[in-house]
């Protein structure tokens, strides 16, 4: 099947979406990540969503613009799109509704424009399997869409009002807003029911005096692999961002005879949309009620220090600074001993227990279990 685009035919069969990545750093930015590294991660996100990344471009500007890009870089992007081999432009920041609308108008109706937040929401929507996960993503998507509805009706604006156009357009927008607000309220109520159920389950678990260990870390740090290795179970493992979203809890038994519950939660990422943090509140409460935290770091990743700083910042935001924590530097099988020592000593130094592991090969796992067991024995029950 194909549709007419000017004098050419553009295929509309389900082919891999071809995208170009665009990043901007405005003013004197103090972002943890470099712009180039951020675009590399954006590319991984796009691939995780099923896109074919055709290239990227970035710009440093004095201050943000209403079109996201400056004039020169915008023209460069238009020239790149003129080849006709790009379907979508993905921006490395969350665009304001005005920025997105203006950029779409500049690039033309045949080019789709999405931002980092929309991309992450899309990845999450593909990965969510449980009812709770789907509700959380659904809530975040509708909250994201609500302020952007105006852009869905630009075809009426281009008619410059007039009899029979302006009124119905406004009416349709308000109708859509009302429907979305109703959907948001309904989803929030369903999630609140899930939260109460989780709270009841946690209270019953606490009455049984079983300690809970929360696995946290940057996405794709190897948390699921570590969960499998420590509990001798099998869960989904894929080498891609956000391969699993739904929290998973397994029983962990120590040589001492002590037992604990090990919970794997959603991975963190830089510029994690606040909508998702809010929507996943019930899931993140699993970490808040944990007895101890294992913070997993992919020590082989070139941005391991930056990833660790992002996770630390999010843990601070969630009020988890005071939790007993063990740093687990994972994937040591991928790096040399010198790289391990260099990373840990200069960039990833944390006060407290540190364990170097390979969840894949088993290196360091017995030492990790021993340290966790000893630490649990020293924690006074609530």
């Amino acid at each position: 099947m194909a549709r007419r685009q000017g004098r050419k035919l553009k295929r509309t069969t389900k082919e891999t979406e071809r995208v170009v990545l665009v990043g901007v750093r405005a003013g004197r930015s103090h972002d943890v990540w470099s712009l180039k590294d951020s675009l590399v991660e954006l590319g991984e996100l796009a691939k995780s969503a099923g896109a074919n990344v055709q290239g990227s471009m970035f710009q440093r500007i004095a201050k943000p613009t209403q079109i996201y890009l400056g004039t020169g870089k915008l023209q460069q992007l238009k020239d790149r799109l003129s080849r006709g081999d790009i379907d979508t432009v993905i921006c490395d920041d969350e665009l304001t509704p005005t920025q997105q609308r203006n950029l779409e108008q500049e690039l033309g109706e045949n080019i789709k424009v999405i931002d980092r937040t929309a991309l992450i929401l899309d990845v999450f929507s593909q990965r969510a399997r449980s009812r709770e996960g789907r509700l959380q993503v659904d809530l975040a998507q509708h909250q994201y869409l609500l302020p952007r509805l105006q852009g869905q009706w630009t075809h009426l604006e281009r008619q410059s009002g007039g009899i029979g156009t302006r009124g119905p357009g406004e009416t349709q927008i308000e109708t859509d807003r009302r429907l979305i607000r109703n959907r948001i309220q309904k989803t929030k109520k369903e999630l609140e029911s899930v939260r109460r159920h989780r709270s009841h389950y946690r209270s019953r678990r606490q009455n049984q005096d079983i300690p809970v260990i929360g696995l946290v870390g940057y996405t794709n740090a190897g948390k699921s692999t570590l969960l499998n290795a420590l509990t001798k179970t099998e869960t989904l493992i894929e080498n891609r961002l956000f391969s699993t979203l739904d929290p998973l809890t397994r029983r962990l038994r120590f040589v001492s005879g002590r037992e604990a519950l090990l919970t794997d939660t959603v991975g963190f990422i830089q510029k994690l949309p606040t909508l998702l943090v809010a929507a996943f509140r019930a899931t993140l409460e699993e970490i808040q009620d944990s007895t101890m935290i294992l913070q997993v770091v992919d020590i082989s990743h070139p941005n391991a220090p930056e990833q660790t700083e992002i996770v630390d910042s999010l843990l601070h935001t969630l009020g988890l600074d005071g939790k007993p924590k063990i740093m687990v530097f994972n994937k040591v099988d991928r790096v040399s001993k010198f790289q391990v020592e260099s990373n840990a000593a200069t960039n990833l130094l944390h006060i407290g227990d540190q364990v170097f592991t390979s969840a894949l090969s088993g290196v360091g796992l017995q030492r990790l279990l021993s340290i966790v067991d000893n630490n649990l024995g020293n924690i006074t029950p609530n």
Side-chain angles (χ1 to χ4, degrees):
M1 183 184 295
R3 64 183 175 89
R4 188 168 298 278
Q5 179 186 343
R7 293 186 177 181
K8 299 179 180 179
L9 291 178
K10 184 175 181 179
R11 297 185 60 83
T12 58
T13 51
K14 291 186 178 179
E15 298 177 343
T16 303
E17 201 163 340
R18 300 163 301 178
V19 306
V20 63
L21 314 174
V22 180
V24 168
R25 209 43 76 74
R28 296 181 178 180
S29 175
H30 299 289
D31 289 354
V32 174
W33 289 64
S34 72
L35 187 49
K36 289 184 179 180
D37 286 340
S38 188
L39 281 175
V40 169
E41 182 180 83
L42 186 69
E44 291 301 315
L45 277 169
K47 292 174 185 175
S48 189
N52 182 357
V53 179
Q54 297 290 306
S56 64
M57 59 179 62
F58 62 89
Q59 180 181 32
R60 300 183 186 277
I61 56 179
K63 59 182 181 179
T65 73
Q66 292 298 304
I67 314 179
Y68 186 60
L69 292 166
T71 305
K73 189 62 66 172
L74 177 62
Q75 186 56 52
Q76 184 179 336
L77 177 59
K78 288 180 178 180
D79 293 341
R80 174 65 184 85
L81 297 178
S82 66
R83 302 179 194 174
D85 61 345
I86 298 295
D87 307 300
T88 304
V89 171
I90 304 179
C91 300
D92 192 34
D93 297 281
E94 181 171 327
L95 301 178
T96 67
T98 299
Q99 284 178 321
Q100 183 162 354
R101 186 164 59 249
N102 290 343
L103 190 54
E104 287 173 341
Q105 290 173 349
E106 288 285 343
L107 300 181
E109 61 182 12
N110 293 319
I111 299 297
K112 181 169 64 178
V113 176
I114 65 173
D115 59 15
R116 174 182 269 262
T117 297
L119 177 60
I120 292 176
L121 289 173
D122 184 82
V123 173
F124 271 49
S125 69
Q126 293 182 43
R127 303 288 185 271
R129 293 292 180 266
S130 69
R131 175 174 174 269
E132 178 187 2
R134 290 193 295 269
L135 282 172
Q136 290 167 327
V137 174
D138 185 75
L139 174 61
Q141 286 178 320
H142 281 86
Q143 289 175 325
Y144 173 82
L145 177 62
L146 186 59
R148 291 168 172 79
L149 275 180
Q150 185 69 35
Q152 309 300 316
W153 295 96
T154 53
H155 63 288
L156 292 177
E157 293 175 1
R158 282 196 284 268
Q159 296 179 37
S160 301
I163 298 173
T165 58
R166 179 162 32 192
E170 293 299 317
T171 301
Q172 184 62 61
I173 291 174
E174 288 307 316
T175 299
D176 286 353
R177 282 176 178 156
R178 184 172 62 255
L179 290 172
I180 289 179
R181 288 192 185 104
N182 290 341
R183 180 67 175 267
I184 288 173
Q185 291 305 314
K186 180 176 182 293
T187 306
K188 282 182 175 180
K189 288 180 180 179
E190 292 184 64
L191 279 173
E192 184 61 25
S193 174
V194 172
R195 192 192 69 80
R196 287 195 299 269
H197 176 75
R198 277 189 177 277
S199 179
H200 176 72
Y201 171 74
R202 284 195 300 270
S203 297
R204 187 174 60 184
R205 192 171 61 194
Q206 289 170 355
N207 291 334
Q208 296 174 348
D209 214 19
I210 301 177
V212 178
I213 303 167
L215 279 173
V216 303
Y218 210 81
T219 180
N220 208 29
K223 296 187 290 85
S224 296
T225 308
L226 188 63
L227 177 86
N228 286 349
L230 293 177
T231 62
K232 295 180 172 55
T233 55
E234 293 185 7
T235 59
L236 174 67
I237 300 175
E238 294 180 274
N239 185 26
R240 61 180 182 177
L241 305 186
F242 300 117
S243 61
T244 55
L245 284 184
D246 301 308
L248 186 64
T249 300
R250 293 288 183 266
R251 191 172 292 268
L252 182 61
R253 294 178 175 84
F254 299 94
V255 175
S256 66
R258 183 181 287 109
E259 291 189 346
L261 296 178
L262 187 61
T263 297
D264 183 16
T265 57
V266 61
F268 294 157
I269 196 170
Q270 63 146 340
K271 302 179 183 177
L272 187 66
T274 54
L275 293 173
L276 276 176
V277 175
F280 276 71
R281 181 170 63 97
T283 300
L284 294 174
E285 283 177 356
E286 291 288 330
I287 308 175
Q288 292 174 327
D289 288 342
S290 62
T291 311
M292 176 190 299
I293 289 175
L294 300 187
Q295 183 172 335
V296 185
V297 179
D298 177 2
I299 199 169
S300 70
H301 198 284
N303 294 113
E306 291 81 4
Q307 291 181 349
T308 304
E309 188 170 341
I310 293 294
V311 175
D312 286 343
S313 176
L314 286 168
L315 289 177
H316 173 75
T317 300
L318 294 170
L320 300 173
D321 301 76
K323 288 277 185 184
K325 182 171 68 173
I326 297 174
M327 297 297 298
V328 182
F329 297 113
N330 194 33
K331 303 188 183 181
V332 294
D333 55 304
R334 296 186 178 184
V335 295
S336 67
K337 182 179 179 181
F338 171 78
Q339 287 174 297
V340 170
E341 294 174 348
S342 175
N343 268 333
T346 61
N347 297 320
L348 299 173
L349 183 61
H350 280 70
I351 297 174
D353 290 307
Q354 301 180 6
V355 185
F356 298 93
T357 68
S358 168
L360 195 61
S361 68
V363 171
L365 296 187
Q366 290 306 314
R367 181 169 183 268
L368 174 60
L369 286 171
S370 177
I371 291 176
V372 171
D373 192 13
N374 289 335
N375 284 9
L376 285 175
N378 295 328
I379 295 175
T380 304
N382 293 330

